[in-house]
Amino acid sequence: MADDPKTLVSTAWLAKHLKDPDMRLLDASWYLPDAGRDPKAEYDAAHIPGARFFDIEDISDARSDLPHMAPPVEKFMSRMRAMGVGDGHQVVVYDGAGLMSAARVWWLFRLMGQENVAVLDGGLPKWVDEGHPTEDMPPIPRDRHMTVRLQNHLVRDVTQVAQASKLGDPQIVDARPPARFRGDAPEPREGLRAGHIPGSRNVHYQTLLNDNNTMKDPDALRAVFEAAGVDTAKPVITTCGSGVTAAILALALERIGQSNWSLYDGSWAEWGMFPTVPIATGDA
């Protein structure tokens, strides 16, 4: 795997750079309610040395009824300042699943105009499996200013997605499992209809990962998208259940050199709730 401090870095790369003065590590673990896991308790028990806990539910838009929507710029800036993450830092984000919610936080940083941010490939499980150290004490952060420039082209709302669905451009790619995409399996959130956005393609995020939850190499990633009918040369809107695993698709697109993508933040938590927008079932 080619290490890239703007997208994805290996555990070996992190081990080498762990003590760099400008390194800032974030534990962004988050799980679906039915997983029965408490990410903050797990962080308190063991995390990569120096890591801060990034709470996806807390660092979000409190004004929205939708789950963990992107926070307002001012809130993101103030939370990052308090965590001692700011200008001039190299940020590496990891999670306890291997590669899941960390990609969401990578996307959030990109949305806020931060380029020097990468996901740890294989996350905490791979780090621990290889015998690298963990600790149970949180670091003592020093305030650091962060300059934020919102990149509006990286996020899409329901109106923009509805237009893309009608026109077939940009392509909409859904990261949920096939059974949920087809409408055969119920949604984990109550009150949502089953199915998918009309015209969207299904690339289950797991198909982009190896057995150890590291990301596949760029050639394999490209093959997965193309097998699902996605033209990797054309713009893409990524979507999923609530905007978390959609970011894995975005990260994978970035890894194959396709930077013309955006993420539907409301995702199915929003689309599946609106009775006025159409729904398709079955395969794409």
Side-chain angles (χ1 to χ4, degrees):
M1 182 200 109
D3 290 305
D4 174 13
K6 292 182 181 352
T7 55
L8 198 65
V9 294
S10 63
T11 46
W13 184 94
L14 180 61
K16 200 167 111 189
H17 293 280
L18 191 60
K19 293 196 162 62
D20 289 4
D22 61 348
M23 172 62 65
R24 289 296 177 271
L25 263 179
L26 300 177
D27 182 325
S29 301
W30 172 92
Y31 305 101
L32 282 166
D34 57 8
R37 292 179 69 171
D38 179 341
K40 180 64 167 70
E42 291 182 22
Y43 165 84
D44 290 340
H47 52 263
I48 299 177
R52 289 108 163 108
F53 184 69
F54 188 106
D55 189 334
I56 285 175
E57 297 295 352
D58 175 60
I59 305 172
S60 68
D61 188 352
R63 303 163 305 186
S64 173
D65 295 335
L66 294 165
H68 43 252
M69 293 286 279
V73 164
E74 306 72 36
K75 182 173 185 178
F76 186 82
M77 284 172 69
S78 68
R79 292 299 161 88
M80 290 308 101
R81 175 190 281 270
M83 286 165 72
V85 179
D87 294 344
H89 285 149
Q90 169 65 49
V91 176
V92 173
V93 195
Y94 73 86
D95 62 55
L99 203 168
M100 196 182 79
S101 52
R104 166 78 187 184
V105 174
W106 169 82
W107 169 76
L108 262 183
F109 272 80
R110 294 292 294 264
L111 180 65
M112 300 293 171
Q114 300 294 314
E115 292 278 326
N116 296 327
V117 55
V119 170
L120 179 63
D121 201 23
L124 186 62
K126 189 167 188 286
W127 180 265
V128 171
D129 284 350
E130 292 170 352
H132 296 297
T134 59
E135 64 182 15
D136 58 6
M137 291 294 290
I140 298 160
R142 292 198 191 113
D143 272 19
R144 180 78 160 248
H145 174 72
M146 178 183 282
T147 308
V148 168
R149 297 179 196 84
L150 197 65
Q151 307 295 305
N152 281 313
H153 64 281
L154 294 182
V155 66
R156 291 289 175 262
D157 64 22
V158 67
T159 311
Q160 294 166 312
V161 175
Q163 187 182 12
S165 171
K166 267 198 197 98
L167 302 175
D169 179 41
Q171 306 165 94
I172 302 168
V173 188
D174 190 326
R176 292 175 304 154
R180 283 170 60 192
F181 179 83
R182 291 192 302 265
D184 298 343
E187 285 296 307
R189 288 182 177 79
E190 279 181 32
L192 299 181
R193 299 177 294 166
H196 59 264
I197 299 165
S200 59
R201 303 284 184 174
N202 188 205
V203 175
H204 183 209
Y205 77 91
Q206 281 286 356
T207 60
L208 300 169
L209 306 177
N210 299 307
D211 291 343
N212 64 350
N213 286 329
T214 54
M215 189 164 269
K216 290 177 177 174
D217 66 68
D219 289 343
L221 294 176
R222 197 174 278 106
V224 172
F225 281 113
E226 285 168 2
V230 179
D231 184 341
T232 52
K234 291 183 175 166
V236 170
I237 296 171
T238 68
T239 182
C240 61
S242 65
V244 173
T245 58
I248 299 173
L249 303 190
L251 181 63
L253 288 166
E254 196 74 26
R255 289 290 287 175
I256 62 173
Q258 161 56 301
S259 54
N260 197 348
W261 54 264
S262 53
L263 183 145
Y264 174 24
D265 200 9
S267 281
W268 198 254
E270 181 175 45
W271 192 280
M273 181 181 68
F274 275 142
T276 51
V277 292
I279 276 182
T281 52
D283 292 312

